[in-house]
Coordinates of all heavy atoms in Angstrom, one line a residue:
M602 N 0.8 -1.2 0.0 CA 0.0 0.0 0.0 C 0.9 1.3 0.0 O 1.8 1.4 0.8 CB -0.9 0.0 1.2 CG -1.9 1.1 1.3 SD -2.9 0.9 2.8 CE -4.2 1.9 2.3
Q603 N 0.6 2.2 -0.9 CA 1.4 3.4 -1.0 C 1.0 4.4 0.0 O -0.1 4.5 0.4 CB 1.2 4.0 -2.4 CG 2.0 3.4 -3.5 CD 1.9 4.2 -4.8 OE1 0.9 4.9 -5.0 NE2 2.9 4.1 -5.6
K604 N 2.0 5.1 0.5 CA 1.8 6.2 1.5 C 1.2 7.4 0.8 O 1.6 7.8 -0.3 CB 3.1 6.6 2.2 CG 2.9 7.5 3.3 CD 4.3 7.7 4.0 CE 4.1 8.6 5.2 NZ 5.3 8.8 5.9
K605 N 0.2 8.0 1.5 CA -0.5 9.2 0.9 C 0.4 10.4 0.9 O 1.0 10.7 2.0 CB -1.8 9.4 1.7 CG -2.6 10.5 1.1 CD -3.9 10.6 1.9 CE -4.7 11.8 1.4 NZ -5.9 12.0 2.2
I606 N 0.5 11.1 -0.2 CA 1.3 12.3 -0.2 C 0.4 13.5 0.1 O -0.6 13.7 -0.6 CB 2.0 12.5 -1.6 CG1 2.9 11.3 -1.9 CG2 2.7 13.8 -1.7 CD1 3.4 11.2 -3.3
P607 N 0.8 14.3 1.1 CA 0.0 15.5 1.5 C -0.1 16.5 0.4 O 1.0 16.8 -0.2 CB 0.7 16.0 2.7 CG 1.8 15.1 3.1 CD 2.0 14.2 2.0
Q608 N -1.2 17.0 0.1 CA -1.4 18.1 -0.9 C -1.9 19.4 -0.2 O -2.6 19.3 0.8 CB -2.5 17.6 -1.9 CG -2.2 16.3 -2.6 CD -1.4 16.6 -3.8 OE1 -1.8 17.3 -4.7 NE2 -0.2 15.9 -3.8
R609 N -1.4 20.5 -0.8 CA -1.9 21.8 -0.3 C -2.2 22.7 -1.5 O -1.7 22.5 -2.6 CB -0.8 22.5 0.5 CG -0.4 21.7 1.8 CD -1.5 21.8 2.8 NE -1.2 21.1 4.0 CZ -1.5 19.9 4.4 NH1 -2.1 19.1 3.5 NH2 -1.1 19.4 5.5
Q610 N -3.1 23.7 -1.3 CA -3.5 24.6 -2.4 C -2.7 25.8 -2.3 O -2.5 26.5 -1.3 CB -5.0 24.9 -2.2 CG -5.5 25.7 -3.4 CD -7.0 25.9 -3.3 OE1 -7.5 26.2 -2.2 NE2 -7.7 25.8 -4.4
C611 N -2.1 26.2 -3.5 CA -1.4 27.5 -3.6 C -2.3 28.7 -3.5 O -3.4 28.6 -4.2 CB -0.6 27.5 -4.9 SG 0.2 29.1 -5.3
M612 N -2.0 29.7 -2.8 CA -2.8 30.9 -2.7 C -2.8 31.7 -3.9 O -3.6 32.6 -4.1 CB -2.4 31.7 -1.4 CG -2.7 31.0 -0.1 SD -4.4 31.0 0.4 CE -5.0 29.5 -0.2
G613 N -1.8 31.5 -4.8 CA -1.7 32.3 -6.0 C -2.5 31.7 -7.2 O -3.4 32.2 -7.6
C614 N -2.0 30.5 -7.6 CA -2.7 29.8 -8.8 C -3.8 28.9 -8.4 O -4.6 28.5 -9.3 CB -1.6 29.0 -9.5 SG -0.9 27.6 -8.6
R615 N -4.0 28.7 -7.1 CA -5.1 27.9 -6.6 C -5.1 26.4 -7.0 O -6.0 25.7 -6.9 CB -6.5 28.4 -7.0 CG -6.7 29.9 -6.7 CD -6.5 30.3 -5.3 NE -7.8 30.0 -4.6 CZ -7.9 30.2 -3.3 NH1 -6.9 30.6 -2.6 NH2 -9.0 29.9 -2.6
E616 N -3.9 25.9 -7.4 CA -3.7 24.5 -7.8 C -3.2 23.7 -6.6 O -2.5 24.2 -5.7 CB -2.7 24.4 -8.9 CG -3.1 24.9 -10.2 CD -2.1 24.7 -11.3 OE1 -1.2 23.8 -11.2 OE2 -2.1 25.5 -12.3
R617 N -3.6 22.5 -6.5 CA -3.2 21.6 -5.5 C -1.9 20.9 -5.9 O -1.8 20.3 -7.0 CB -4.3 20.6 -5.2 CG -5.5 21.2 -4.5 CD -6.6 20.2 -4.1 NE -6.5 19.7 -2.8 CZ -6.5 20.3 -1.7 NH1 -6.4 21.6 -1.7 NH2 -6.5 19.7 -0.5
K618 N -0.9 21.0 -5.0 CA 0.4 20.4 -5.3 C 0.9 19.7 -4.1 O 0.4 19.9 -3.0 CB 1.4 21.5 -5.8 CG 0.9 22.1 -7.1 CD 1.9 23.1 -7.6 CE 1.4 23.8 -8.8 NZ 2.2 24.8 -9.3
N619 N 2.0 19.0 -4.2 CA 2.7 18.3 -3.1 C 3.1 19.4 -2.1 O 3.7 20.4 -2.4 CB 3.9 17.5 -3.5 CG 3.5 16.3 -4.3 OD1 2.3 15.9 -4.4 ND2 4.4 15.7 -5.0
K620 N 2.8 19.1 -0.8 CA 3.2 20.0 0.3 C 4.7 20.3 0.3 O 5.1 21.5 0.5 CB 2.8 19.3 1.6 CG 3.1 20.2 2.8 CD 2.6 19.4 4.1 CE 3.1 20.1 5.3 NZ 2.7 19.4 6.5
R621 N 5.5 19.3 0.0 CA 7.0 19.5 0.1 C 7.5 20.4 -1.0 O 8.6 21.0 -0.9 CB 7.7 18.2 0.0 CG 7.5 17.4 1.3 CD 8.4 16.1 1.2 NE 8.3 15.3 2.3 CZ 9.0 15.4 3.5 NH1 9.9 16.3 3.5 NH2 8.8 14.5 4.5
D622 N 6.7 20.6 -2.1 CA 7.2 21.4 -3.2 C 6.8 22.9 -3.0 O 7.0 23.7 -3.9 CB 6.5 20.9 -4.5 CG 7.0 19.5 -4.8 OD1 8.1 19.1 -4.3 OD2 6.3 18.8 -5.6
M623 N 6.1 23.2 -1.9 CA 5.6 24.6 -1.8 C 6.3 25.3 -0.6 O 7.0 24.6 0.2 CB 4.1 24.5 -1.5 CG 3.4 23.8 -2.7 SD 1.7 23.7 -2.6 CE 1.2 25.3 -3.0
I624 N 6.1 26.6 -0.5 CA 6.7 27.4 0.6 C 5.6 27.7 1.5 O 4.5 28.2 1.1 CB 7.3 28.7 0.0 CG1 8.5 28.3 -0.9 CG2 7.9 29.5 1.2 CD1 9.1 29.5 -1.7
R625 N 5.8 27.5 2.8 CA 4.7 27.8 3.8 C 5.0 29.2 4.4 O 6.1 29.5 4.9 CB 4.7 26.7 4.9 CG 3.7 26.9 6.0 CD 3.6 25.8 6.9 NE 2.5 25.9 7.8 CZ 2.6 25.9 9.2 NH1 3.8 25.8 9.7 NH2 1.5 26.0 9.9
V626 N 4.0 30.0 4.5 CA 4.0 31.3 5.2 C 3.1 31.1 6.4 O 2.0 30.6 6.3 CB 3.4 32.4 4.3 CG1 3.5 33.7 5.0 CG2 4.2 32.5 3.0
V627 N 3.6 31.4 7.6 CA 2.9 31.1 8.8 C 2.7 32.4 9.7 O 3.6 33.2 9.8 CB 3.6 30.0 9.6 CG1 5.0 30.4 10.1 CG2 2.8 29.5 10.8
R628 N 1.5 32.5 10.2 CA 1.3 33.5 11.3 C 1.3 32.8 12.6 O 0.5 32.0 12.9 CB -0.1 34.2 11.1 CG -0.3 35.3 12.1 CD -1.7 35.7 12.3 NE -2.4 34.6 13.0 CZ -3.7 34.4 12.9 NH1 -4.5 35.0 12.1 NH2 -4.3 33.4 13.6
Q629 N 2.3 33.2 13.4 CA 2.5 32.5 14.7 C 1.6 33.1 15.7 O 0.9 34.1 15.5 CB 4.0 32.7 15.1 CG 4.9 32.0 14.2 CD 6.4 32.3 14.4 OE1 6.7 33.3 14.9 NE2 7.2 31.3 14.1
T630 N 1.5 32.4 16.8 CA 0.5 32.8 17.9 C 0.7 34.2 18.4 O -0.2 34.8 18.9 CB 0.6 31.8 19.0 OG1 1.9 31.7 19.5 CG2 0.1 30.4 18.6
D631 N 2.0 34.7 18.3 CA 2.2 36.1 18.8 C 1.9 37.1 17.7 O 2.1 38.3 17.9 CB 3.7 36.2 19.2 CG 4.7 36.0 18.2 OD1 4.3 35.7 17.0 OD2 5.9 36.1 18.5
G632 N 1.5 36.7 16.5 CA 1.1 37.6 15.4 C 2.1 37.9 14.4 O 1.9 38.5 13.4
T633 N 3.4 37.4 14.6 CA 4.4 37.6 13.6 C 4.2 36.7 12.4 O 3.7 35.6 12.5 CB 5.8 37.4 14.2 OG1 5.9 36.0 14.7 CG2 6.1 38.3 15.3
V634 N 4.6 37.2 11.2 CA 4.5 36.4 10.0 C 5.9 36.1 9.5 O 6.7 37.0 9.4 CB 3.7 37.2 8.9 CG1 3.6 36.5 7.6 CG2 2.3 37.6 9.4
S635 N 6.1 34.8 9.2 CA 7.4 34.4 8.7 C 7.3 33.2 7.8 O 6.2 32.7 7.6 CB 8.3 34.0 9.9 OG 7.7 33.0 10.6
L636 N 8.4 32.9 7.1 CA 8.5 31.7 6.3 C 8.9 30.5 7.1 O 9.7 30.6 8.0 CB 9.5 31.9 5.2 CG 9.3 33.2 4.3 CD1 10.4 33.2 3.2 CD2 7.9 33.1 3.6
D637 N 8.2 29.4 6.8 CA 8.5 28.2 7.6 C 8.9 27.1 6.6 O 8.1 26.5 5.9 CB 7.2 27.8 8.3 CG 7.3 26.5 9.0 OD1 8.4 26.0 9.3 OD2 6.3 25.9 9.4
F638 N 10.2 26.8 6.6 CA 10.7 25.8 5.6 C 10.7 24.4 6.2 O 10.7 23.4 5.5 CB 12.2 26.2 5.2 CG 12.2 27.4 4.5 CD1 12.6 28.6 5.1 CD2 11.8 27.5 3.1 CE1 12.7 29.8 4.4 CE2 11.8 28.7 2.4 CZ 12.3 29.8 3.0
S639 N 10.6 24.3 7.6 CA 10.5 23.0 8.2 C 9.0 22.5 8.1 O 8.8 21.3 8.2 CB 10.9 23.1 9.7 OG 10.0 23.9 10.4
G640 N 8.1 23.4 8.0 CA 6.6 23.0 8.0 C 6.1 22.6 9.4 O 5.1 22.0 9.5
K641 N 6.9 23.0 10.4 CA 6.5 22.5 11.8 C 6.2 23.7 12.7 O 5.9 23.4 13.9 CB 7.6 21.6 12.3 CG 7.7 20.3 11.5 CD 8.7 19.4 12.0 CE 8.7 18.2 11.1 NZ 9.7 17.2 11.6
L642 N 6.3 24.9 12.3 CA 6.1 26.0 13.2 C 4.6 26.0 13.6 O 3.7 25.8 12.8 CB 6.4 27.4 12.6 CG 7.9 27.7 12.5 CD1 8.1 29.1 11.8 CD2 8.5 27.8 13.9
N643 N 4.3 26.4 14.9 CA 3.0 26.5 15.3 C 2.4 27.8 14.7 O 3.0 28.8 14.5 CB 2.9 26.7 16.9 CG 3.2 25.3 17.5 OD1 2.9 24.3 17.0 ND2 3.7 25.4 18.7
G644 N 1.1 27.7 14.4 CA 0.4 28.9 13.9 C -0.4 28.5 12.6 O -0.4 27.4 12.2
R645 N -1.1 29.5 12.1 CA -1.9 29.4 10.9 C -1.0 29.5 9.7 O -0.2 30.4 9.5 CB -2.9 30.5 10.9 CG -3.9 30.3 9.8 CD -5.1 31.4 10.0 NE -6.1 31.2 8.9 CZ -7.1 30.4 9.0 NH1 -7.2 29.7 10.1 NH2 -7.9 30.3 8.0
G646 N -1.1 28.5 8.8 CA -0.2 28.5 7.6 C -0.9 28.6 6.3 O -2.1 28.3 6.2
A647 N -0.2 29.1 5.3 CA -0.7 29.2 3.9 C 0.4 28.8 3.0 O 1.6 29.0 3.4 CB -1.2 30.6 3.6
Y648 N 0.1 28.3 1.9 CA 1.2 27.8 1.0 C 1.2 28.6 -0.3 O 0.1 29.0 -0.9 CB 0.9 26.3 0.7 CG 1.2 25.5 1.9 CD1 0.2 25.3 2.9 CD2 2.4 24.9 2.1 CE1 0.4 24.6 4.0 CE2 2.6 24.1 3.3 CZ 1.6 24.0 4.2 OH 1.9 23.2 5.4
V649 N 2.4 28.7 -0.9 CA 2.6 29.4 -2.2 C 3.6 28.5 -3.0 O 4.6 28.0 -2.4 CB 3.2 30.8 -2.0 CG1 3.4 31.5 -3.3 CG2 2.3 31.6 -1.1
C650 N 3.3 28.4 -4.3 CA 4.3 27.7 -5.2 C 5.6 28.5 -5.2 O 5.5 29.7 -5.1 CB 3.7 27.7 -6.6 SG 2.2 26.7 -6.8
P651 N 6.7 27.9 -5.4 CA 7.9 28.6 -5.6 C 8.0 29.2 -7.0 O 8.9 28.9 -7.8 CB 9.0 27.5 -5.3 CG 8.4 26.3 -5.7 CD 6.9 26.4 -5.4
D652 N 7.0 30.0 -7.3 CA 6.9 30.6 -8.7 C 6.6 32.1 -8.5 O 5.7 32.5 -7.8 CB 5.8 29.9 -9.4 CG 5.6 30.5 -10.8 OD1 6.4 31.2 -11.3 OD2 4.5 30.2 -11.4
A653 N 7.4 33.0 -9.2 CA 7.2 34.4 -9.1 C 5.8 34.9 -9.5 O 5.2 35.8 -8.9 CB 8.2 35.1 -9.9
E654 N 5.2 34.2 -10.5 CA 3.8 34.6 -10.9 C 2.8 34.3 -9.8 O 1.9 35.1 -9.7 CB 3.5 33.8 -12.2 CG 4.2 34.3 -13.4 CD 4.0 35.8 -13.7 OE1 2.9 36.2 -13.7 OE2 5.0 36.4 -14.0
C655 N 2.9 33.2 -9.1 CA 2.0 32.9 -8.0 C 2.1 34.0 -6.9 O 1.1 34.4 -6.3 CB 2.3 31.5 -7.5 SG 1.7 30.2 -8.6
L656 N 3.4 34.4 -6.6 CA 3.6 35.4 -5.6 C 3.0 36.7 -6.0 O 2.4 37.4 -5.2 CB 5.1 35.6 -5.3 CG 5.4 36.5 -4.2 CD1 4.8 36.1 -2.9 CD2 6.9 36.6 -4.0
K657 N 3.1 37.1 -7.3 CA 2.5 38.3 -7.8 C 1.0 38.3 -7.6 O 0.4 39.3 -7.2 CB 2.8 38.5 -9.3 CG 4.2 39.0 -9.5 CD 4.5 39.2 -11.0 CE 5.9 39.6 -11.3 NZ 6.2 39.7 -12.7
K658 N 0.4 37.1 -7.9 CA -1.1 37.0 -7.8 C -1.5 37.1 -6.3 O -2.5 37.8 -6.0 CB -1.6 35.7 -8.3 CG -1.6 35.6 -9.8 CD -2.1 34.2 -10.2 CE -2.0 34.1 -11.7 NZ -2.4 32.7 -12.2
C659 N -0.7 36.5 -5.4 CA -0.9 36.7 -4.0 C -0.9 38.1 -3.5 O -1.7 38.5 -2.7 CB 0.1 35.8 -3.2 SG -0.2 34.1 -3.2
R660 N 0.1 38.8 -4.0 CA 0.2 40.2 -3.6 C -1.0 41.1 -4.1 O -1.5 41.9 -3.4 CB 1.5 40.8 -4.2 CG 2.7 40.7 -3.3 CD 3.9 41.4 -3.9 NE 4.6 42.2 -2.9 CZ 5.8 42.5 -3.1 NH1 6.5 42.2 -4.2 NH2 6.4 43.2 -2.2
K661 N -1.3 40.8 -5.4 CA -2.3 41.6 -6.0 C -3.7 41.4 -5.4 O -4.5 42.3 -5.1 CB -2.4 41.3 -7.5 CG -3.4 42.1 -8.3 CD -3.3 41.8 -9.8 CE -4.3 42.6 -10.5 NZ -4.3 42.3 -11.9
T662 N -4.0 40.1 -5.2 CA -5.4 39.7 -4.6 C -5.4 39.7 -3.1 O -6.5 39.6 -2.5 CB -5.8 38.3 -5.1 OG1 -4.9 37.4 -4.6 CG2 -5.8 38.3 -6.6
R663 N -4.2 39.9 -2.5 CA -4.1 39.9 -1.0 C -4.7 38.6 -0.4 O -5.2 38.5 0.7 CB -4.8 41.1 -0.4 CG -4.3 42.4 -1.0 CD -4.9 43.6 -0.4 NE -4.4 43.9 1.0 CZ -3.2 44.4 1.3 NH1 -2.3 44.6 0.3 NH2 -2.9 44.7 2.5
S664 N -4.5 37.5 -1.1 CA -5.0 36.2 -0.7 C -4.3 35.7 0.6 O -4.9 35.1 1.4 CB -5.0 35.1 -1.8 OG -3.6 35.0 -2.3
L665 N -3.0 35.9 0.7 CA -2.3 35.5 1.9 C -2.8 36.3 3.1 O -2.9 35.8 4.2 CB -0.8 35.7 1.7 CG 0.0 34.7 0.9 CD1 1.5 35.1 0.8 CD2 -0.1 33.3 1.6
D666 N -3.0 37.6 2.9 CA -3.5 38.4 4.0 C -4.9 37.9 4.5 O -5.1 37.8 5.7 CB -3.8 39.9 3.5 CG -2.5 40.6 3.1 OD1 -1.6 40.0 2.5 OD2 -2.3 41.8 3.5
R667 N -5.7 37.5 3.6 CA -7.1 37.0 4.0 C -6.9 35.6 4.7 O -7.6 35.4 5.7 CB -8.0 36.9 2.8 CG -8.5 38.2 2.3 CD -9.7 38.1 1.4 NE -9.4 37.2 0.3 CZ -8.8 37.5 -0.9 NH1 -8.4 38.7 -1.0 NH2 -8.6 36.6 -1.8
C668 N -6.1 34.8 4.1 CA -6.0 33.4 4.6 C -5.4 33.4 6.1 O -5.8 32.7 6.9 CB -5.1 32.6 3.7 SG -4.9 30.9 4.3
L669 N -4.4 34.3 6.3 CA -3.7 34.3 7.6 C -4.4 35.3 8.5 O -4.0 35.5 9.7 CB -2.2 34.7 7.4 CG -1.4 33.7 6.6 CD1 0.0 34.2 6.4 CD2 -1.4 32.3 7.2
E670 N -5.3 36.1 8.0 CA -6.1 37.0 8.8 C -5.2 38.1 9.4 O -5.4 38.5 10.6 CB -6.9 36.3 9.9 CG -7.9 35.3 9.3 CD -8.5 34.4 10.4 OE1 -8.0 34.4 11.5 OE2 -9.5 33.7 10.0
V671 N -4.3 38.6 8.6 CA -3.3 39.6 9.1 C -2.7 40.3 7.9 O -2.7 39.7 6.8 CB -2.2 39.0 10.0 CG1 -1.3 38.1 9.2 CG2 -1.4 40.1 10.7
T672 N -2.3 41.5 8.0 CA -1.6 42.2 6.9 C -0.2 41.7 6.8 O 0.6 41.7 7.8 CB -1.6 43.7 7.1 OG1 -2.9 44.2 7.2 CG2 -0.9 44.4 5.9
I673 N 0.2 41.2 5.6 CA 1.6 40.6 5.4 C 2.6 41.8 5.3 O 2.4 42.6 4.4 CB 1.6 39.7 4.2 CG1 0.5 38.7 4.2 CG2 3.0 39.1 4.0 CD1 0.7 37.6 5.3
P674 N 3.6 41.8 6.1 CA 4.7 42.8 6.0 C 5.4 42.7 4.7 O 5.6 41.6 4.1 CB 5.6 42.5 7.2 CG 4.9 41.6 8.1 CD 3.9 40.9 7.3
E675 N 5.9 43.8 4.2 CA 6.6 43.9 2.9 C 7.8 43.1 2.9 O 8.2 42.4 1.9 CB 6.9 45.4 2.6 CG 7.3 45.6 1.2 CD 6.2 45.2 0.2 OE1 5.0 45.4 0.4 OE2 6.6 44.7 -0.9
E676 N 8.5 43.0 4.1 CA 9.8 42.2 4.1 C 9.5 40.7 3.9 O 10.4 40.0 3.4 CB 10.5 42.4 5.4 CG 9.8 42.2 6.7 CD 9.1 43.4 7.3 OE1 9.0 44.5 6.6 OE2 8.7 43.4 8.5
V677 N 8.3 40.2 4.3 CA 8.0 38.8 4.0 C 7.9 38.5 2.5 O 8.4 37.6 2.0 CB 6.7 38.4 4.8 CG1 6.3 37.0 4.3 CG2 6.9 38.5 6.3
Y678 N 7.2 39.5 1.8 CA 7.1 39.3 0.3 C 8.5 39.4 -0.3 O 8.8 38.7 -1.2 CB 6.2 40.4 -0.2 CG 4.8 40.2 -0.1 CD1 4.0 41.0 0.7 CD2 4.2 39.0 -0.6 CE1 2.6 40.8 0.8 CE2 2.8 38.8 -0.5 CZ 2.0 39.7 0.2 OH 0.7 39.4 0.4
E679 N 9.4 40.3 0.2 CA 10.7 40.5 -0.3 C 11.5 39.2 -0.1 O 12.3 38.8 -1.0 CB 11.4 41.7 0.3 CG 10.9 43.0 -0.1 CD 11.4 44.2 0.7 OE1 12.3 44.0 1.5 OE2 10.9 45.3 0.5
R680 N 11.4 38.6 1.1 CA 12.1 37.4 1.4 C 11.6 36.2 0.5 O 12.4 35.4 0.0 CB 12.0 37.0 2.8 CG 12.9 35.8 3.2 CD 13.1 35.6 4.6 NE 13.9 34.4 4.8 CZ 13.7 33.6 5.8 NH1 12.9 33.9 6.8 NH2 14.4 32.5 5.9
L681 N 10.3 36.2 0.3 CA 9.8 35.1 -0.6 C 10.3 35.3 -2.0 O 10.7 34.3 -2.7 CB 8.2 35.3 -0.7 CG 7.4 34.5 0.3 CD1 6.0 34.9 0.3 CD2 7.5 33.0 0.1
T682 N 10.4 36.5 -2.5 CA 11.0 36.8 -3.8 C 12.4 36.3 -3.9 O 12.8 35.7 -4.9 CB 10.9 38.3 -4.1 OG1 9.5 38.7 -4.0 CG2 11.4 38.6 -5.5
R683 N 13.2 36.6 -2.9 CA 14.6 36.2 -2.9 C 14.7 34.7 -2.9 O 15.6 34.1 -3.6 CB 15.3 36.8 -1.6 CG 15.7 38.2 -1.8 CD 16.8 38.6 -0.7 NE 16.4 38.3 0.6 CZ 15.7 39.1 1.5 NH1 15.2 40.3 1.0 NH2 15.4 38.7 2.7
E684 N 13.9 34.0 -2.1 CA 13.9 32.5 -2.1 C 13.6 32.0 -3.4 O 14.2 31.0 -3.8 CB 12.9 32.0 -1.0 CG 13.2 32.3 0.4 CD 14.5 31.5 0.8 OE1 14.7 30.4 0.3 OE2 15.2 32.1 1.7
M685 N 12.6 32.6 -4.1 CA 12.2 32.1 -5.4 C 13.3 32.3 -6.5 O 13.4 31.5 -7.4 CB 10.9 32.7 -5.9 CG 9.8 32.2 -5.1 SD 8.3 33.0 -5.5 CE 7.2 32.4 -4.2
E686 N 14.1 33.3 -6.3 CA 15.2 33.6 -7.2 C 16.4 32.8 -6.9 O 17.4 32.8 -7.7 CB 15.6 35.1 -7.2 CG 14.5 36.0 -7.7 CD 14.7 37.5 -7.5 OE1 15.6 37.8 -6.7 OE2 14.0 38.3 -8.0
G687 N 16.4 32.1 -5.8 CA 17.5 31.1 -5.5 C 18.5 31.7 -4.5 O 19.3 30.9 -4.0
G688 N 18.4 32.9 -4.1 CA 19.3 33.5 -3.1 C 18.6 33.3 -1.7 O 17.8 34.1 -1.4
N689 N 19.0 32.3 -1.0 CA 18.5 32.1 0.4 C 18.7 33.4 1.2 O 19.8 33.8 1.4 CB 19.1 30.9 1.0 CG 18.6 29.6 0.3 OD1 17.7 29.6 -0.4 ND2 19.4 28.6 0.6
G690 N 17.6 33.9 1.8 CA 17.7 35.1 2.5 C 17.3 35.0 3.8 O 17.3 35.8 4.7

């Protein structure tokens, strides 16, 4: 019997993809918003494909803000952009 692969929906393109292939943005219990590469931080999480177009859609439609129920700081978007370009920030 094959093990089930967890799927998550991208907040930009709205497609379901493997959880490990996506970047998690998490609002922690103290209200801070950060990137979670381990997938284990406590708090409310939302997922984005590692694709610049998906990030642009998230910014434009404010889907991450709605999902996490908080305004996403500009530095989180900047760090996401750097991660997608390959420069770990």
Side-chain angles (χ1 to χ4, degrees):
M602 184 177 199
Q603 282 188 331
K604 188 173 181 182
K605 186 175 177 186
I606 299 171
Q608 300 276 302
R609 297 293 182 264
Q610 186 176 41
C611 173
M612 292 284 95
C614 64
R615 310 301 279 175
E616 289 182 25
R617 293 182 90 54
K618 298 184 180 176
N619 292 345
K620 179 180 172 182
R621 290 188 183 268
D622 297 339
M623 302 180 79
I624 300 172
R625 183 174 187 236
V626 182
V627 64
R628 184 197 71 207
Q629 296 171 331
T630 52
D631 63 359
T633 58
V634 177
S635 60
L636 301 180
D637 177 18
F638 296 101
S639 68
K641 296 183 180 181
L642 284 178
N643 285 334
R645 185 173 182 87
Y648 292 82
V649 181
C650 296
D652 179 17
E654 289 302 313
C655 288
L656 184 59
K657 284 180 186 176
K658 286 181 186 177
C659 285
R660 267 183 139 160
K661 185 177 178 184
T662 63
R663 305 184 74 74
S664 59
L665 280 175
D666 296 42
R667 283 194 311 275
C668 183
L669 298 178
E670 300 169 349
V671 69
T672 301
I673 305 294
E675 196 60 36
E676 56 265 16
V677 172
Y678 283 119
E679 290 170 7
R680 184 162 178 215
L681 271 168
T682 303
R683 282 196 306 272
E684 289 295 327
M685 289 176 188
E686 291 170 350
N689 292 342

